[in-house]
Amino acid sequence: MSIRPIDVAHIDGGPQWVEAVATPSGAEVWWDEPRPHEGGRRCVVRRLPDGSRVDALPAGWNARNRLVEYGGRSWRPLPGGGLVFTNWADQRLYRLGENGGDPVPLTPEGPSRYGDLYLPPGRGEVWAVREIADVRDLVAVPLDGGPVRVVAKAQHFLMNPRVSPDGRWVSWIGWDHPNMPWDGTELCVAPLAGDGTAGPYEVVAGGPDESVSQAEWRDDASLYAVTDPTGWWNVHVVPLDGSPGRNLTPLELEFGAAAWKPGLTCLAVAEDGRLAVVYGTADHRRLGVLDPETGELRELGGAATHWSSTVSVAGGKVAAVKATPYTPLEVTLVGLADGAHEVVSPRKDLPDRELLPTPEALTIEGVHTHLYPPSGVRGPGPYVIFAHGGPTGNLPVMLDLEIAYFTSRGIGVAVVNYGGSTGYGRAYRERLRHQWGVVDVQDCAKVARGLVELGRADAAKLAIRGGSAGGWTTVAALVHSDVFAGGVAHYAITDPESWAAETHDFESRYLDGLVGPLPETRQRYTERSPLLNAFRASGPCLMLHGLEDAIVDVSQAERFTAELDRHGKEWALLTFPGEQHGWRREETVVAVLEAELAFYGLIFGMETPGVPPLTLKGRE
């Protein structure tokens, strides 16, 4: 038996945002979930205190947005049971009444995008970061209709708007090019005038070399800020009067996350003043409750190995999203007092437990790795190195049926959190500074060779795969090492200089830190470019790309495969209409997995029954 591709499609992804709401009858929980069988839309779901669940978003509506292209917080429940959300099709804000009906638009048609939604108490407005082309501001939108009001214009990028308990102050987090939000951000506070606009702001934490990833008001005179002056995202108290702050969690653990999607939360303030926190490392993300007065940190996570970067508290309950190596991402209510867990999202039909691999944590030459052994293989077997995207990201320890799809067919997987990954502190992230295409490639090769030396992997049957930045690492490893028999690159960057010129604003200066500023370091771009070194490829390459990808244009794949073809290398390119940067449709997930398996069958000399054949150009 083996995992079916349709199983992967049905369990792929999970809730992005959760929110707990206290009601007289008990805690309600709201979340959004992917619906691959409904065209890949994200549906908001409401779980009532009696345990019943309803879709809060009607069919045909999709609670997503394109803020910084990756999307920010896309919905909020309204008092009384209504919903405000951004709709993918037109990027407008809509309100849905508590009794359902048709959503009502709150913003005009046009080029604006809205994300990182926030409901300031008692104002009858939803606040959001608005993006028009490459200009962003913080705006307020009346819930009963009316013109959009600009609250603040500040840095080039904005996120995390919050109003103080007394309504006199507004805070946000901002940063400017060339920084990314994990490099350096500023926590800003400004007085809020009677007309609802912000006055001149003051920077109270952060800077060019300090990353504030989240901030919440502690009281009218101070904030809790998740920031990393120590090299780790810890929880700090930041007073407004300029007096010294205080690190509440002086630990070599991460209490924050890279802000790829504005609106992520690893900290929530409970009614009694305690803090629900998501923290740990990429090897084990925990849920806990922190007493800010005593510093006591009590774990609430139970057997879960991963908690997502979204957390909310109401009525003595924490709403969060957990996973284990054998269970998918699940919305869970956790009691602050007793730590009791209640899974509130629908249980998913899972494959037999015997088909799911047990991960093994390894460190090979200082590189963090999670090993998933192949089923039914004795002695050295075929292995695929999984390189994550970002590259400022990681792959956590949790059920991933994409991995199980391969291990159940006798192909092992080694997940490599190479230098530059999050979850291990700033110093580990900074290993990739100016070294993208070098350190990531070397770390993946180290792990592959280490598995051979340990007798786990067959040196002739090693492959590498990844998506986005992981796709870059895949093609870079093919042309800059001789370790891999082939690679599979999902929506990959193949030429850094052209990508920097054609990509979206959010990442347009990302390579300043990953490779170096242009034009001063152009030689590095030339030397590391897989496109310009395609003639060196150590094996065949399968490229997979969505035709609506606004982050990495399909031309990156087309130009690279053209170069492979020109130099007589073996390759295949599959493109998918209607897909953006990542796979969301059921039929695409199935097609991609089957093509990837067929590719491994070709390069490893394995039978792959039940999947359509794949033809490699140059092998006909």
Side-chain angles (χ1 to χ4, degrees):
M1 292 181 63
S2 54
I3 303 293
R4 302 176 303 164
I6 197 69
D7 296 328
V8 182
H10 286 169
I11 301 179
D12 190 36
Q16 183 70 65
W17 324 102
V18 297
E19 188 148 349
V21 178
T23 75
S25 303
E28 285 188 3
V29 188
W30 299 61
W31 66 90
D32 63 291
E33 62 185 31
R35 298 281 175 88
H37 56 290
E38 297 180 27
R41 80 174 182 121
R42 294 200 76 89
C43 181
V44 180
V45 180
R46 180 186 184 188
R47 195 263 197 177
L48 301 170
D50 64 7
S52 61
R53 288 183 293 265
V54 296
D55 284 359
L57 196 64
W61 296 85
N62 186 358
R64 288 179 60 205
N65 59 68
R66 295 182 63 175
L67 181 66
V68 298
E69 291 298 345
Y70 291 100
R73 176 72 190 246
S74 57
W75 58 268
R76 290 280 186 178
L78 297 173
L83 178 72
V84 61
F85 68 97
T86 58
N87 185 48
W88 175 256
D90 58 8
Q91 297 295 303
R92 297 168 76 185
L93 271 167
Y94 285 81
R95 177 176 181 170
L96 187 65
E98 59 187 84
N99 297 318
D102 293 329
V104 177
L106 298 177
T107 53
E109 295 180 344
S112 299
R113 305 171 179 180
Y114 301 86
D116 199 0
L117 306 190
Y118 166 65
L119 294 175
R123 288 185 170 267
E125 300 173 326
V126 57
W127 288 20
V129 176
R130 180 179 65 178
E131 182 177 74
I132 304 175
D134 296 341
V135 176
R136 293 158 200 89
D137 45 24
L138 175 59
V139 299
V141 181
L143 291 170
D144 59 359
V148 175
R149 183 181 75 254
V150 175
V151 175
K153 291 180 176 288
Q155 294 91 340
H156 193 65
F157 298 98
L158 305 168
M159 67 178 185
N160 201 110
R162 298 292 188 268
V163 173
S164 62
D166 62 6
R168 296 176 56 233
W169 303 94
V170 57
S171 65
W172 66 85
I173 295 169
W175 69 98
D176 290 299
H177 283 317
N179 270 350
M180 298 298 287
W182 41 84
D183 296 325
T185 60
E186 297 174 328
L187 174 57
C188 304
V189 174
L192 199 55
D195 62 359
T197 61
Y201 68 86
E202 178 183 355
V203 176
V204 298
D209 300 308
E210 179 183 338
S211 167
V212 184
S213 64
Q214 186 188 347
E216 306 292 340
W217 285 92
R218 176 173 179 254
D219 51 36
D220 295 332
S222 61
L223 296 105
Y224 294 115
V226 180
T227 185
D228 70 344
T230 65
W232 296 83
W233 275 310
N234 289 167
V235 182
H236 295 249
V237 173
V238 178
L240 298 190
D241 63 7
S243 60
R246 189 161 50 99
N247 187 350
L248 301 179
T249 57
L251 304 166
E252 292 190 348
L253 296 170
E254 300 280 43
F255 288 74
W260 284 99
K261 294 177 177 286
L264 297 177
T265 53
C266 294
L267 176 152
V269 183
E271 294 94 327
D272 64 5
R274 290 182 295 170
L275 308 178
V277 290
V278 174
Y279 67 103
T281 69
D283 300 325
H284 189 180
R285 286 280 277 174
R286 297 173 165 87
L287 177 72
V289 56
L290 173 66
D291 187 324
E293 301 306 319
T294 66
E296 178 190 5
L297 177 61
R298 179 165 59 92
E299 187 171 352
L300 300 174
T305 52
H306 178 72
W307 291 85
S308 298
S309 298
T310 180
V311 63
S312 177
V313 185
K317 301 283 188 179
V318 181
V321 180
K322 72 176 180 181
T324 76
Y326 316 110
T327 55
L329 293 165
E330 297 175 316
V331 180
T332 306
L333 269 182
V334 182
L336 275 175
D338 57 11
H341 286 214
E342 178 189 5
V343 174
V344 298
S345 53
R347 297 283 187 176
K348 295 184 177 179
D349 292 331
L350 297 176
D352 292 343
R353 170 67 181 81
E354 64 186 22
L355 297 177
L356 305 179
T358 296
E360 177 185 347
L362 293 177
T363 301
I364 296 177
E365 295 187 45
V367 183
H368 298 282
T369 305
H370 307 141
L371 196 65
Y372 296 84
S375 176
V377 176
R378 294 184 178 180
Y383 264 85
V384 178
I385 299 296
F386 272 41
H388 62 74
T392 311
N394 65 62
L395 286 172
V397 178
M398 56 176 279
L399 176 66
D400 187 337
L401 286 189
E402 193 172 54
I403 290 173
Y405 177 77
F406 297 113
T407 59
S408 68
R409 288 169 168 77
I411 300 172
V413 170
V415 167
V416 178
N417 285 330
Y418 48 80
S421 301
T422 58
Y424 306 103
R426 182 179 279 262
Y428 196 77
R429 290 202 311 274
E430 292 288 333
R431 285 189 58 219
L432 204 59
R433 179 161 291 276
H434 296 162
Q435 295 296 314
W436 195 41
V438 179
V439 164
D440 50 330
V441 169
Q442 291 174 347
D443 282 2
C444 288
K446 284 178 185 176
V447 170
R449 292 192 184 101
L451 294 178
V452 173
E453 292 171 3
L454 291 170
R456 307 290 288 270
D458 182 339
K461 296 181 177 180
L462 293 170
I464 184 169
R465 64 95 77 175
S468 190
W472 152 273
T473 301
T474 294
V475 292
L478 282 182
V479 304
H480 293 306
S481 79
D482 58 1
V483 175
F484 301 105
V488 179
H490 302 241
Y491 34 92
I493 299 165
T494 64
D495 181 59
E497 184 168 356
S498 63
W499 177 77
E502 66 195 16
T503 194
H504 61 135
D505 186 42
F506 177 63
E507 293 183 88
S508 63
R509 300 291 299 278
Y510 195 6
L511 298 193
D512 283 34
L514 291 175
V515 181
L518 286 167
E520 298 93 321
T521 61
R522 176 163 286 124
Q523 185 62 29
R524 292 181 198 165
Y525 287 74
T526 301
E527 292 171 353
R528 297 179 196 176
S529 169
L531 175 69
L532 301 180
N533 292 277
F535 65 93
R536 301 179 186 273
S538 61
C541 185
L542 170 61
M543 306 289 289
L544 305 152
H545 221 106
L547 292 179
E548 294 182 8
D549 194 335
I551 294 172
V552 180
D553 190 78
V554 69
S555 61
Q556 290 277 319
E558 293 168 340
R559 293 197 297 265
F560 182 65
T561 52
E563 280 299 293
L564 290 176
D565 193 64
R566 190 165 72 89
H567 292 287
K569 303 295 183 177
E570 296 177 347
W571 60 275
L573 169 61
L574 303 180
T575 58
F576 300 91
E579 292 285 6
Q580 296 96 43
H581 198 64
W583 315 126
R584 291 177 173 83
R585 298 183 176 187
E586 180 180 287
E587 61 271 23
T588 306
V589 174
V590 171
V592 163
L593 282 171
E594 291 182 339
E596 189 167 346
L597 179 61
F599 177 81
Y600 297 140
L602 290 174
I603 67 171
F604 292 155
M606 298 173 58
E607 296 292 329
T608 56
V611 302
L614 178 73
T615 300
L616 293 176
K617 302 292 178 65
R619 184 176 284 207
E620 300 95 329

